[in-house]
Amino acid sequence: MIQLIRYEFVKIMMRKSIALTFAIFLIFFVAYSFVQHAGLSDASKDYRPYEGPITQEKANLARDHMQIIGLNNEYIYPNGVFYDILNFSPETKNNYTSYDETGQIRTRTVDVTDIHYNKPWGYLLEYIDQFGTVFMIIFILLGLAPVFANEYALGTASLLRSSKRGKSKLVTAKLLASMIYIVVCVIVFAGVNLQMYWLRFGHLAGADTPIQSVAMYFDTFYYEFSPYRFTALQYYIVQLLTHAAGSLVLGCIVLLVSVLSSTPFIAVSVSAAIVGLPYLAYDVLNLNSGWMRWLESFQLSTMIRVTRLFKYDVHYSVLGLKLSYFTLYMAVISLFTIGVVVFTYRTFRRREVFS
C-alpha cells in the first residue's frame, strides 16, 4: 500500500502544470510583495516612544506629531503607529459601538490597552486569507481533478479496477496521496510566505501580542471583537491548521468530481464552478438574504480563508443546544466530508464502464 501511495503521489507531483504554476506563483508573489508593499520594512522604532498603555494623552501626542510632520490623516502613515494608537484610544472606544446581525452590541472579550508592534503578523495572516486561499484552490484543481478522470480518459480505469490491488485499495491510495499533496502545498506556501516577510521585516516581532491588536491590510482590525484569546503566533498556527483542513475538504470534493468525470478538463471545469459560483452569488450578486444567508455562512471557502470563523462571537441554537459558529460549522463540514468520501468509494467501485 505504501508503494502504491508513493506512486500516486509522484504521478500528481510530476504533472507539468504543477511545476509551471508553482514557478508563476513564486514570481507573482514576490513581485506583488515588493510592488504592492513597496518600502515595507521594520518600523518598530516608530512604536517605541508610544509603548505601554494607550492613554488619551498619548493619542493627543500622536495627533500633534502627525501635524508636525505634515500628516492630516492617520491612514496614510506607512508604519501605522498613529492609526493603531487612535483606534484603541479611550476616546475612540468610548465613542464607537459595533452591532451584530441581530442588533445586539458586541462586547470586547480582550480589551486592547497597550500599543503593540506586530505588523509582520498582519501580513502573514493576510496571506492565508487571500493568496493562500487563491493558490491552494488553483493547485488543488490542477493536481487532483485529473486523479480519476485521467484514468477514464486513458482507458486504464477498467484495468486498475480488475487488478489485485482491488478497487478500495486503489481509491484509498489515490485519496491518501492527494491529501499528502495538499499538505505539502500548504507547508511550501506557508514557508515561502514566512521567509518572504522575515526578510522584509528582519524579524517576526509581536508574536505574543493579542490577535485583537493585529491589523490586516494595514488598517483593518478584523479580530477586534473576537472572543478567542489567542496570541498572534497561536492564532497563526490555528489559522494555518484550519486552512489546511479546509483545503483537504476541497480536495475530497474535487476527487469526487474527478470520479464522476470522463476527462480531466470536465473535472477541472466542474470543480472550478463549484468553487466559483458561491463567490459569484454571495460576493458579486449579493444573494445573501433569507435561507441564502445561512448557506453563505457555511460555504466551503469560509473554512479555507478562516478569517470569518474566529472574527465574532456568534451562536446558533440547534435542538436546544447553543453552539458557537465555529463548532456548528465544523460539525456540518465534517458530516458533509464523510458523505463525500463514502460516495467517492461507492461510485468508483460500482462504475464498471464509464459513459
Side-chain angles (χ1 to χ4, degrees):
M1 175 61 87
I2 294 179
Q3 291 181 343
L4 186 57
I5 295 173
R6 184 186 299 115
Y7 173 73
E8 293 294 339
F9 176 72
V10 171
K11 280 174 60 177
I12 296 174
M13 295 297 294
M14 291 301 292
R15 292 196 178 98
K16 294 180 180 179
S17 59
I18 301 298
L20 178 61
T21 305
F22 183 70
I24 295 174
F25 158 71
L26 282 179
I27 295 172
F28 181 78
F29 180 66
V30 173
Y32 176 87
S33 175
F34 281 90
V35 173
Q36 184 68 20
H37 301 151
L40 189 65
S41 60
D42 178 22
S44 57
K45 62 182 183 302
D46 295 298
Y47 280 70
R48 291 193 188 107
Y50 301 96
E51 287 179 349
I54 303 174
T55 62
Q56 191 58 52
E57 291 75 17
K58 195 172 291 186
N60 294 335
L61 179 62
R63 288 193 179 94
D64 293 340
H65 190 177
M66 287 173 58
Q67 292 180 355
I68 292 174
I69 63 178
L71 293 178
N72 55 14
N73 190 323
E74 62 269 22
Y75 286 91
I76 65 175
Y77 191 67
N79 295 325
V81 59
F82 298 142
Y83 181 74
D84 290 9
I85 293 173
L86 297 179
N87 186 80
F88 293 109
S89 69
E91 178 185 15
T92 301
K93 289 194 290 189
N94 291 337
N95 295 326
Y96 172 71
T97 303
S98 177
Y99 299 89
D100 62 21
E101 296 175 352
T102 65
Q104 299 295 315
I105 297 176
R106 290 193 175 99
T107 58
R108 301 173 189 269
T109 303
V110 176
D111 191 8
V112 178
T113 58
D114 292 344
I115 183 69
H116 303 287
Y117 180 71
N118 47 31
K119 294 305 174 186
W121 294 96
Y123 288 98
L124 290 173
L125 300 182
E126 174 186 329
Y127 160 78
I128 293 179
D129 181 60
Q130 293 294 323
F131 276 109
T133 298
V134 172
F135 286 105
M136 280 307 302
I137 290 175
I138 291 175
F139 273 82
I140 289 172
L141 294 181
L142 291 177
L144 303 191
V147 167
F148 289 101
N150 206 42
E151 305 293 357
Y152 294 122
L154 296 175
T156 57
S158 298
L159 178 63
L160 290 173
R161 276 195 290 253
S162 62
S163 67
K164 67 178 182 179
R165 296 291 184 181
K167 302 172 185 177
S168 295
K169 286 186 177 181
L170 180 62
V171 176
T172 300
K174 287 182 177 292
L175 179 64
L176 292 178
S178 299
M179 297 304 101
I180 294 173
Y181 164 75
I182 292 174
V183 171
V184 169
C185 287
V186 171
I187 293 174
V188 170
F189 294 160
V192 170
N193 188 48
L194 280 168
Q195 185 66 29
M196 176 62 63
Y197 286 110
W198 187 300
L199 293 174
R200 297 300 300 277
F201 286 98
H203 57 72
L204 296 177
D208 58 344
T209 60
I211 60 169
Q212 286 76 8
S213 69
V214 178
M216 293 171 59
Y217 308 103
F218 176 64
D219 60 1
T220 304
F221 292 91
Y222 268 71
Y223 302 103
E224 186 173 356
F225 291 91
S226 173
Y228 299 96
R229 297 176 177 272
F230 293 125
T231 65
L233 175 59
Q234 290 171 341
Y235 178 69
Y236 178 76
I237 296 173
V238 170
Q239 185 193 39
L240 189 61
L241 292 176
T242 306
H243 169 72
S247 299
L248 291 173
V249 174
L250 176 59
C252 291
I253 295 174
V254 173
L255 287 175
L256 174 58
V257 173
S258 183
V259 167
L260 296 171
S261 302
S262 57
T263 66
F265 177 77
I266 294 176
V268 171
S269 300
V270 173
S271 298
I274 291 175
V275 175
L277 287 178
Y279 174 79
L280 176 64
Y282 302 129
D283 294 88
V284 178
L285 301 178
N286 293 319
L287 302 177
N288 53 7
S289 60
W291 62 273
M292 290 287 288
R293 188 168 192 163
W294 191 89
L295 289 178
E296 191 263 343
S297 298
F298 290 88
Q299 61 178 315
L300 177 59
S301 62
T302 297
M303 186 175 181
I304 302 176
R305 293 187 63 178
V306 186
T307 305
R308 184 173 180 176
L309 293 174
F310 299 93
K311 190 174 182 180
Y312 296 124
D313 187 15
V314 180
H315 289 82
Y316 292 85
S317 180
V318 180
L319 300 177
L321 298 175
K322 186 178 181 181
L323 301 176
S324 68
Y325 174 46
F326 176 78
T327 301
L328 182 58
Y329 183 94
M330 296 305 291
V332 171
I333 288 296
S334 297
L335 292 175
F336 175 75
T337 305
I338 292 173
V340 167
V341 173
V342 171
F343 191 53
T344 300
Y345 272 90
R346 292 172 64 88
T347 301
F348 190 76
R349 284 171 60 88
R350 293 185 176 185
R351 204 156 201 163
E352 297 298 335
V353 178
F354 194 89
S355 59

